[in-house]
Amino acid sequence: MVELKGSVELESIKRNTLPKQVVDSIVQLLISGQLKPGDKLPSEMELIDMLGVSRPVLREALSSLEALEVITRKTRGGTHFNNKIGSNPFSVMLALSIGNLPAIIEARMALELGLVAIAAEKITNEQLNRLKETIDEIAGSVNNNYGEADKEFHRIIALSANNPIIEGMIDPLLITFDKMDRQIRERERDVTVQFHTDIYNALVNRDPHEAFTHMYRHLSYVRNKLLQVYQNE
């Protein structure tokens, strides 16, 4: 155990270091109560010394935490835990599971399947038009470069549920979409267009059952592809 200024303690990482382990150690400062939302973290040099890691590994871990909105980094103000963490613990849970791809996939499925069923009842015509635009963008994409349009399709559906209780889960989960998207080595544009079109048609028809069914088929297909990559690593 390494102690800093008599108040903050971190477990040293002794084996081959991965950014995930650094994320775990930093989040433990919150879980243990040593630091609170809004508190300033030790400097990069102090963290490097305390954890026994290289600067690139630390910065990759900090980038993951920043993307999940667990921390905020300012050039002159240092790094702070965000004040809203207490009201958005989902970000912390995702940070702790950042290296557990199967768990992330299941979390995404659990949330999106519920959201798409609600969306079938609440989605607006304007949102349906935007969904159709993303499908057209994917269909016309060059070199299968359609990741952003794909994410926007899922974001529109999530937000169309218009539920303030779960809104705090949506953005962090969509960030994991990027992590999942980077694992896909071979894209299948036509397959994606078909899945999205089936979901879109179910939403147009305001059919929660069909929307759920088609979203499940889509996410299950993606899950199987990603798990094949994960298990072969």
Side-chain angles (χ1 to χ4, degrees):
M1 185 86 72
V2 180
E3 185 172 351
L4 178 67
K5 299 178 182 178
S7 60
V8 174
E9 296 179 349
L10 285 171
E11 290 287 345
S12 297
I13 295 176
K14 299 181 177 65
R15 58 184 182 274
N16 290 334
T17 303
L18 296 173
K20 167 64 170 63
Q21 294 172 258
V22 177
V23 167
D24 288 350
S25 293
I26 292 174
V27 171
Q28 282 302 318
L29 292 173
L30 278 176
I31 294 174
S32 67
Q34 294 182 75
L35 293 179
K36 303 182 297 297
D39 282 351
K40 185 176 181 179
L41 275 69
S43 68
E44 280 195 10
M45 291 307 300
E46 288 170 327
L47 288 171
I48 288 170
D49 182 58
M50 296 168 74
L51 294 167
V53 299
S54 66
R55 178 168 290 181
V57 168
L58 175 65
R59 288 189 170 177
E60 183 176 343
L62 292 177
S63 293
S64 294
L65 288 167
E66 187 173 31
L68 289 167
E69 299 182 344
V70 174
I71 63 171
T72 295
R73 291 188 288 177
K74 297 181 180 179
T75 304
R76 296 186 179 180
T79 301
H80 293 74
F81 283 117
N82 286 335
N83 283 313
K84 66 179 181 180
I85 288 177
S87 62
N88 188 14
F90 194 63
S91 290
V92 175
M93 292 192 302
L94 279 175
L96 287 169
S97 302
I98 197 71
N100 189 343
L101 187 62
I104 289 173
I105 295 170
E106 289 175 359
R108 178 185 169 189
M109 290 184 72
L111 182 57
E112 282 205 75
L113 288 172
L115 285 169
V116 77
I118 297 171
E121 300 176 352
K122 302 172 75 172
I123 195 166
T124 66
N125 289 333
E126 179 184 355
Q127 288 167 329
L128 285 170
N129 290 336
R130 288 165 57 201
L131 279 184
K132 183 61 168 62
E133 289 173 1
T134 66
I135 295 172
D136 292 342
E137 186 175 343
I138 294 171
S141 62
V142 178
N143 297 326
N144 283 338
N145 184 21
Y146 57 80
E148 284 303 313
D150 193 354
K151 183 167 70 172
E152 180 66 6
F153 177 88
H154 291 274
R155 189 185 74 85
I156 293 167
I157 291 174
L159 292 177
S160 72
N162 194 27
N163 187 315
I165 295 176
I166 57 178
E167 279 184 2
M169 300 181 185
I170 294 171
D171 285 340
L173 197 64
L174 286 174
I175 291 167
T176 68
F177 180 100
D178 293 326
K179 178 178 175 61
M180 293 166 61
D181 187 64
R182 289 195 295 270
Q183 303 297 318
I184 298 176
R185 297 171 182 172
E186 183 177 346
R187 298 189 181 279
E188 298 170 293
R189 182 184 60 191
D190 293 343
V191 173
T192 300
V193 168
Q194 186 60 60
F195 278 130
H196 284 203
T197 300
D198 289 341
I199 295 166
Y200 167 79
N201 287 335
L203 293 174
V204 169
N205 293 329
R206 311 290 177 176
D207 189 328
H209 176 75
E210 283 297 309
F212 181 99
T213 298
H214 288 301
M215 181 65 83
Y216 178 81
R217 289 172 180 166
H218 178 29
L219 295 181
S220 180
Y221 184 85
V222 173
R223 175 181 60 180
N224 291 336
K225 284 183 64 176
L226 289 173
L227 289 181
Q228 286 180 1
V229 174
Y230 182 80
Q231 291 164 359
N232 292 332
E233 289 182 346

